[in-house]
Amino acid sequence: MTRYQEVAALLRQRIEHGVYRVGDRLPSIRALCREHAISISTAQEAYRRLEDAMLVEARARSGYFVLPRQAPAQLPAVTRPAQRPLEVSQWDQVLELVGMNRDHGVLMLGRGIPDLDAATLKPLQRLLAGLYRHGDALSASYDSLIGSLKLRQQIVRLATTSGCLLHPDDVLITTGCQEALAIALRTLTSPGDVVAVDSPSFYGTMQILKANGLKAMEIPTDPRDGISLEALELALEQWPVRAIQVTPTCNNPLGYTMPEVKKRALVRLAQRFDVAIVEDDIYGDLSFVTPRPRTLKSYDDDGRVLLCSGFSKTLMPGLRVGWLAPGRYRDQALHMKYVSTGASATLPQLAVAEFAAKGHYERHVREMVHRYQRHRDILLGWVGQHFPQGTRVSYPQGGFLLWLELPEAIDCIRLNERLAEVGVRIAPGSLFSASGKYRHCLRLNYAAALTPETAVAVRQVGEVAEAMLREEAELVG
Amino acid sequence: MTRYQEVAALLRQRIEHGVYRVGDRLPSIRALCREHAISISTAQEAYRRLEDAMLVEARARSGYFVLPRQAPAQLPAVTRPAQRPLEVSQWDQVLELVGMNRDHGVLMLGRGIPDLDAATLKPLQRLLAGLYRHGDALSASYDSLIGSLKLRQQIVRLATTSGCLLHPDDVLITTGCQEALAIALRTLTSPGDVVAVDSPSFYGTMQILKANGLKAMEIPTDPRDGISLEALELALEQWPVRAIQVTPTCNNPLGYTMPEVKKRALVRLAQRFDVAIVEDDIYGDLSFVTPRPRTLKSYDDDGRVLLCSGFSKTLMPGLRVGWLAPGRYRDQALHMKYVSTGASATLPQLAVAEFAAKGHYERHVREMVHRYQRHRDILLGWVGQHFPQGTRVSYPQGGFLLWLELPEAIDCIRLNERLAEVGVRIAPGSLFSASGKYRHCLRLNYAAALTPETAVAVRQVGEVAEAMLREEAELVG
């Protein structure tokens, strides 16, 4: 047993024997170091183990706390998608969500939009304004295809916190993370190929599969720790899988973070079957665990992980600044980037680079993590109060998205239609499946979830669901 | 004979009989109206005929002038590309041009970058700065997928000058014209399909064909009036062509504008063979003819023309604001747009919309057209002075790109390598062909071609070419 495992085991024992009780604050990292004469990284590793086991939770700027033995509500069941590659449908439903003109009367509870009102974001606005006002002719022109060197240097610096040692030449700036995902998948596949995905899975990626004539092999996924490696292995044995696409950190929509041992095992499995991995890490920096969890990419020693990320969830979606670390597929990815949109806009890149170089990025993300963690707890409370009995709900480890599994009788596309009448919209679960599974599930956003209007809207979602359940029962009765 | 044909015939006679001599200014539109008791549009149509015949030339804010019977230098020959569909290569050469980090020591004579120093562009910078400084949370977020309504309304207004009657819902905002072209071609084709293209043809489009596994059927093209309809018809009969891709107005790289009768005939031909047309009009508003020539799209009565354009050549490339009018392919194009980059950045769209709504766009474009026309004549003079005997050169009707056909013995990739030693770069002709034809051709940019440094650089290109020709002769001798 290594040192950190020993310390973790000791802490676990103390929790189980009631030395530390639910909600108690555990010793600080520093205190743990003194107590056991261990290094900071060993103490962090010990707490990481306990987090993975869902025994403790890190709270930003406060320390580690003992979690209830049961998560506040029951977690959604392990998913059971189809056992074969499927063509992707659901575009009409996705278009309804993303194609909508912004209407000030409608409360969008379902979209993946961060809180944009934080004071810590102001320096970015100032930087953008200054650059657009005084930018020279060169920055109004095309940048080099790979993107601004200043920004790539900052990305390399930030990525070290996720365990990645990249070189600026390993990073390619894209027009949002969506373009990074599209380039990565197009680089790896040809029409007709099979891609293994966690399930439920981000609808934007599913629609990339559809647009490229790819088939989705949806793998059973555990809302606590992610894609089932056993089921994935079986799929790799049975089907000609060309790529694995997962969101292992602050998963969209389930909110879990895959434990590090499992991440390492996933990379090894991909190596064994010689398959590439497309890792979506767009919410990764919004992890409630500090320092943030490692990426799959950090375990990648032969360049098979294509890491996709960007600043749409941490800063502003409207900037459209994303990035791709394409590993050994750099040349093909660069070609795909060129034909897709040419070089990305220069000035937003320079503004983000400057924002990060001055330390504003870390400060803003800390603030957001703190805020989102509070919002999650508040939203969980509301859901507990207002939703039908039998509702299961995710327990997000980061980000700002909540996944709800309602009683099977409730069709969330119909729920959404009925909510439209009262000016509220959710994201129906079927968007997150190739073939429209998860119809009784839905996704909510708690990025800006604290106004009385939001409270009313969430209650309305619960009440309409409750009403639909009653009507269903009457029909059956 | 219609009224405008009669007036055109009369003017032609007077030119041929020397009533008006080379360089003379012809009667103004207003004078012509009074003289013949015709309407303004009839007078314009008459001059348009004479322009198509290359007998007269419109100069912005000055009127119509008699052209020399021979263009100043001999035009390049009608091109003779391969007579079969080809896979596209040349990526390495394109990457060298577009992937280069900007280096202040190097004079880029080859790239498609407009003049960004004009005072008429300042209001756009002010608008951008103001929006980024004070923009609300909504505009920092995702816009609707189709793009800002304000901008689409302005595009619809501007497109009327090219004879297009669009509705804002017919227009989809993209991340630069490159994304519009990529979406249009991906919407129409599957890997292995054949696309007919004018030749030489923009390398960005050729690389889209490559990235999507498409084959290019390069059609012979006349540097005076564009793609040969006879050769195109033959190709449509012989090969399973899925789409026709052309740049008929202010062509890149040849600079011609296809006469309107020929544009109409091209649309009819596409209808007869039931093929879609991808029209690249990115340089169209920079036509030296006022009002600007009509688009193919303006003759499209069954939605088969996908019109691609944007503001990278008229305003700033770094904005990455383009647009696509996808005709009957709107739904598929919207899906492709979503998976490619999601919604495009909002604030640049709002800034361009405001810039256009206030009349700044027309003012800026008028200024640029005036400037580019002068630059063209100056650059043509320099080329005449410094380039080897036998050099043929295009006579651009708009835009800011010149195409040179050097004596066959000169390899422009080698020429470019030798120019790198003196800090000058051109765009070698082989980029503009699927299979590396046009090796003895090159493209120059005259957007900002008036500094003494540029004069020296152009002379160097000519002198190095001359030297290569001598060396070649000595080797043979």
Side-chain angles (χ1 to χ4, degrees):
Chain A
M1 208 185 256
T2 61
R3 198 75 187 97
Y4 73 80
Q5 286 172 324
E6 282 173 24
V7 175
L10 189 78
L11 288 168
R12 178 193 282 267
Q13 231 175 21
R14 290 185 186 166
I15 291 167
E16 282 166 357
H17 289 94
V19 178
Y20 303 121
R21 285 155 199 264
V22 172
D24 276 2
R25 184 171 168 171
L26 290 156
S28 70
I29 293 282
R30 215 164 272 280
L32 208 63
C33 291
R34 280 193 295 267
E35 184 184 339
H36 300 283
I38 54 179
S39 70
I40 288 181
S41 66
T42 304
Q44 282 173 336
E45 198 60 33
Y47 273 131
R48 187 64 65 94
R49 296 297 114 176
L50 297 176
E51 282 179 359
D52 284 354
M54 295 188 79
L55 286 165
V56 311
E57 172 181 77
R59 293 192 193 146
R61 289 182 288 192
S62 307
Y64 292 88
F65 293 82
V66 180
L67 281 176
R69 296 298 293 277
Q70 305 280 53
Q74 212 180 351
L75 284 173
V78 175
T79 61
R80 310 210 156 279
Q83 299 294 301
R84 59 182 195 287
L86 291 174
E87 291 192 359
V88 176
S89 55
Q90 310 305 313
W91 167 235
D92 291 346
Q93 291 294 325
V94 174
L95 182 59
E96 209 189 300
L97 184 71
V98 302
M100 213 182 253
N101 275 306
R102 284 181 316 219
D103 179 341
H104 291 264
V106 175
L107 208 95
M108 305 285 282
L109 286 178
R111 288 205 62 183
I113 297 172
D115 186 348
L116 296 165
D117 285 326
T120 45
L121 212 49
K122 295 286 175 216
L124 181 59
Q125 286 180 275
R126 276 198 295 274
L127 283 164
L128 282 161
L131 283 165
Y132 274 104
R133 185 76 187 86
H134 304 293
D136 60 357
L138 275 181
S139 41
S141 182
Y142 300 104
D143 206 323
S144 76
L145 184 56
I146 191 171
S148 149
L149 178 61
K150 278 186 192 165
L151 179 57
R152 289 181 286 121
Q153 285 167 335
Q154 289 301 319
I155 288 168
V156 165
R157 183 178 68 75
L158 295 173
T160 56
T161 56
S162 71
C164 275
L165 292 176
L166 300 170
H167 183 275
D169 285 350
D170 299 331
V171 177
L172 169 58
I173 305 300
T174 59
T175 304
C177 186
Q178 181 70 24
E179 191 181 41
L181 290 163
I183 289 171
L185 284 162
R186 295 194 61 207
T187 293
L188 297 171
T189 61
S190 303
D193 282 350
V194 177
V195 176
V197 295
D198 44 18
S199 179
S201 187
F202 171 48
Y203 46 76
T205 310
M206 299 298 261
Q207 294 301 318
I208 294 172
L209 303 191
K210 178 179 169 63
N212 290 288
L214 303 170
K215 292 201 179 89
M217 177 73 215
E218 300 176 292
I219 307 294
T221 299
D222 190 322
R224 288 171 310 172
D225 64 4
I227 195 168
S228 159
L229 295 188
E230 297 69 29
L232 178 60
E233 185 169 353
L234 209 65
L236 292 170
E237 276 164 7
Q238 285 188 323
W239 306 99
V241 172
R242 287 300 292 262
I244 300 165
Q245 198 286 313
V246 286
T247 307
T249 310
C250 308
N251 175 267
N252 172 10
L254 284 170
Y256 63 79
T257 288
M258 188 183 278
E260 296 195 346
V261 279
K262 196 167 167 182
K263 280 181 179 163
R264 193 192 309 251
L266 174 55
V267 174
R268 295 293 161 265
L269 188 63
Q271 284 176 341
R272 190 144 66 78
F273 285 88
D274 194 18
V275 177
I277 299 178
V278 177
E279 177 178 21
D280 181 353
D281 191 55
I282 186 74
Y283 291 93
D285 282 359
L286 295 176
S287 170
F288 301 153
V289 176
T290 314
R292 61 147 289 172
R294 290 179 62 164
T295 46
L296 296 176
K297 181 80 181 166
S298 73
Y299 299 105
D300 175 29
D301 47 28
D302 59 0
R304 72 177 59 246
V305 178
L306 295 87
L307 176 60
C308 303
S309 193
F311 299 93
S312 297
K313 307 305 178 186
T314 46
L315 303 180
M316 296 176 187
L319 288 177
R320 313 309 293 123
V321 179
W323 56 273
L324 170 63
R328 65 163 89 146
Y329 303 95
R330 183 176 181 278
D331 291 352
Q332 303 99 300
L334 207 57
H335 188 238
M336 285 294 172
K337 166 59 182 152
Y338 173 61
V339 303
S340 167
T341 56
S344 289
T346 306
L347 289 177
Q349 296 181 48
L350 295 179
V352 172
E354 191 73 6
F355 186 77
K358 290 187 165 158
H360 291 302
Y361 179 82
E362 283 93 336
R363 177 158 155 262
H364 176 65
V365 165
R366 269 202 309 276
E367 171 63 27
M368 290 297 103
V369 162
H370 198 62
R371 193 177 288 201
Y372 294 150
Q373 202 166 7
R374 266 188 302 128
H375 290 189
R376 174 198 62 185
D377 295 339
I378 292 166
L379 184 57
L380 283 172
W382 291 348
V383 167
Q385 266 180 284
H386 301 303
F387 274 67
Q389 189 124 34
T391 296
R392 294 167 166 224
V393 54
S394 65
Y395 191 65
Q397 306 297 302
F400 45 74
L401 301 169
L402 198 69
W403 180 256
L404 278 71
E405 187 183 318
L406 303 185
E408 293 252 1
I410 298 174
D411 177 337
C412 287
I413 292 177
R414 277 192 47 225
L415 173 64
N416 208 19
E417 285 162 9
R418 288 182 54 170
L419 286 168
E421 293 163 22
V422 293
V424 172
R425 310 290 290 179
I426 50 126
S430 47
L431 268 59
F432 300 83
S433 154
S435 55
K437 272 186 76 93
Y438 313 121
R439 281 181 84 94
H440 61 305
C441 300
L442 64 101
R443 190 184 75 175
L444 297 179
N445 174 324
Y446 54 81
L450 288 177
T451 67
E453 290 76 26
T454 321
V456 170
V458 172
R459 201 186 69 213
Q460 283 173 317
V461 180
E463 286 174 352
V464 174
E466 189 78 61
M468 285 173 69
L469 208 56
R470 271 200 311 275
E471 288 160 20
E472 190 71 25
E474 279 161 22
L475 271 174
V476 176
Chain B
M1 210 184 258
T2 62
R3 199 74 186 94
Y4 73 82
Q5 285 172 325
E6 283 174 25
V7 175
L10 188 78
L11 288 169
R12 176 192 283 265
Q13 231 175 25
R14 289 185 186 166
I15 290 166
E16 283 166 357
H17 289 94
V19 179
Y20 304 121
R21 286 153 199 267
V22 173
D24 276 3
R25 184 171 168 170
L26 290 157
S28 70
I29 293 281
R30 214 165 274 279
L32 208 62
C33 290
R34 279 193 296 266
E35 184 184 341
H36 300 282
I38 55 178
S39 69
I40 288 181
S41 66
T42 303
Q44 283 172 336
E45 199 59 34
Y47 273 131
R48 187 65 64 94
R49 296 297 115 177
L50 297 176
E51 282 179 359
D52 285 353
M54 294 188 78
L55 285 166
V56 310
E57 171 182 75
R59 293 192 194 148
R61 289 182 290 192
S62 308
Y64 292 87
F65 292 82
V66 180
L67 281 176
R69 295 299 290 280
Q70 304 279 58
Q74 211 179 352
L75 284 174
V78 175
T79 60
R80 310 211 158 278
Q83 299 294 298
R84 61 183 193 287
L86 291 174
E87 291 192 358
V88 177
S89 56
Q90 311 304 315
W91 167 236
D92 291 346
Q93 291 293 327
V94 174
L95 183 58
E96 207 188 303
L97 184 71
V98 301
M100 212 182 253
N101 275 307
R102 284 183 314 220
D103 180 341
H104 291 265
V106 175
L107 206 90
M108 305 285 281
L109 286 178
R111 287 204 64 183
I113 296 174
D115 186 347
L116 297 164
D117 286 325
T120 45
L121 213 49
K122 294 287 175 216
L124 182 58
Q125 285 180 275
R126 276 198 295 275
L127 283 165
L128 283 161
L131 283 166
Y132 273 103
R133 187 77 187 85
H134 303 293
D136 59 359
L138 275 181
S139 41
S141 182
Y142 300 105
D143 206 324
S144 76
L145 183 56
I146 190 170
S148 149
L149 177 62
K150 277 185 192 163
L151 178 57
R152 288 181 287 123
Q153 284 167 336
Q154 289 302 319
I155 287 167
V156 165
R157 183 179 67 76
L158 295 173
T160 56
T161 56
S162 70
C164 274
L165 291 175
L166 300 170
H167 183 276
D169 285 350
D170 299 330
V171 177
L172 169 57
I173 305 299
T174 59
T175 304
C177 187
Q178 180 69 24
E179 191 181 39
L181 291 163
I183 289 171
L185 284 161
R186 296 195 60 208
T187 292
L188 297 171
T189 61
S190 305
D193 283 350
V194 177
V195 177
V197 296
D198 42 20
S199 179
S201 187
F202 170 48
Y203 46 77
T205 310
M206 299 299 261
Q207 294 301 318
I208 293 172
L209 303 190
K210 178 178 169 66
N212 289 286
L214 303 170
K215 292 202 180 88
M217 177 73 216
E218 299 175 294
I219 307 294
T221 299
D222 189 320
R224 288 170 311 170
D225 65 4
I227 195 168
S228 158
L229 295 188
E230 296 70 27
L232 178 61
E233 184 169 352
L234 209 64
L236 292 170
E237 276 165 8
Q238 284 188 323
W239 306 99
V241 172
R242 286 300 292 265
I244 300 164
Q245 198 288 311
V246 287
T247 306
T249 310
C250 309
N251 176 267
N252 172 11
L254 282 171
Y256 62 80
T257 288
M258 188 183 278
E260 296 196 345
V261 279
K262 196 167 167 184
K263 280 181 178 163
R264 193 192 307 252
L266 174 54
V267 174
R268 296 293 161 264
L269 188 63
Q271 285 176 341
R272 190 147 66 80
F273 285 88
D274 196 16
V275 177
I277 298 178
V278 177
E279 177 177 21
D280 181 353
D281 191 54
I282 186 73
Y283 291 93
D285 282 0
L286 296 176
S287 170
F288 300 153
V289 175
T290 315
R292 60 148 289 172
R294 289 180 62 164
T295 46
L296 297 176
K297 181 78 181 168
S298 74
Y299 299 105
D300 175 29
D301 47 28
D302 59 0
R304 70 177 61 246
V305 177
L306 294 86
L307 176 60
C308 303
S309 192
F311 299 93
S312 297
K313 307 305 177 186
T314 45
L315 303 180
M316 297 176 188
L319 288 178
R320 310 309 293 125
V321 179
W323 56 273
L324 170 64
R328 65 163 87 147
Y329 303 95
R330 184 176 180 276
D331 292 351
Q332 304 98 297
L334 207 57
H335 188 239
M336 286 296 171
K337 166 59 181 153
Y338 173 60
V339 304
S340 166
T341 55
S344 288
T346 305
L347 290 176
Q349 295 181 48
L350 295 180
V352 173
E354 191 74 6
F355 187 77
K358 289 184 167 160
H360 292 303
Y361 179 82
E362 285 92 336
R363 179 161 153 258
H364 176 64
V365 165
R366 268 201 310 274
E367 171 63 28
M368 290 297 102
V369 161
H370 199 61
R371 192 177 290 200
Y372 294 150
Q373 202 166 8
R374 265 188 302 129
H375 290 189
R376 175 198 62 187
D377 294 339
I378 291 166
L379 183 57
L380 281 172
W382 291 347
V383 167
Q385 265 180 285
H386 302 302
F387 274 65
Q389 188 123 34
T391 297
R392 295 167 167 223
V393 54
S394 66
Y395 190 67
Q397 306 298 301
F400 44 74
L401 300 170
L402 198 68
W403 180 257
L404 276 71
E405 188 182 317
L406 304 185
E408 292 252 0
I410 299 175
D411 178 340
C412 287
I413 293 177
R414 278 191 46 226
L415 173 64
N416 208 20
E417 285 163 7
R418 289 183 53 170
L419 286 168
E421 293 162 22
V422 292
V424 173
R425 309 290 288 179
I426 50 124
S430 48
L431 269 58
F432 301 82
S433 154
S435 55
K437 271 187 75 94
Y438 313 121
R439 282 182 82 93
H440 61 302
C441 300
L442 64 101
R443 191 185 74 176
L444 297 179
N445 176 325
Y446 55 80
L450 288 177
T451 67
E453 290 76 25
T454 320
V456 171
V458 171
R459 201 187 66 214
Q460 283 173 317
V461 180
E463 285 174 354
V464 174
E466 190 78 60
M468 284 173 69
L469 207 58
R470 269 200 312 275
E471 288 160 21
E472 190 71 24
E474 279 161 22
L475 270 174
V476 174

